[in-house]
Amino acid sequence: MPGHTVAVVVTQENGGWHAKHIRQVLPLVGPVSSVQDGRISVLGTEVAFERRADI
């Protein structure tokens, strides 16, 4: 479906690429266009976040 994000594992065989696995990826947040000073910009919306050393 258009707009979905997928990851594809491929091999090259007989002069062409062949998909071995196709998996849909569900991003937690994105796309992120900038990250600075505890703020990220996601699809034009500024989002504040708390920096954590354990992540």
Side-chain angles (χ1 to χ4, degrees):
M1 177 164 247
H4 285 198
T5 302
V6 297
V8 182
V9 176
V10 299
T11 59
Q12 192 172 21
E13 298 173 10
N14 302 323
W17 293 99
H18 300 273
K20 296 297 181 185
H21 302 282
I22 301 175
R23 301 283 188 256
Q24 184 176 359
V25 178
L26 301 173
L28 295 176
V29 69
V32 175
S33 57
S34 69
V35 178
Q36 54 186 214
D37 300 324
R39 299 185 71 77
I40 60 175
S41 180
V42 181
L43 295 171
T45 301
E46 294 295 318
V47 179
F49 68 94
E50 180 180 334
R51 293 178 183 253
R52 293 180 46 186
D54 62 332
I55 297 178

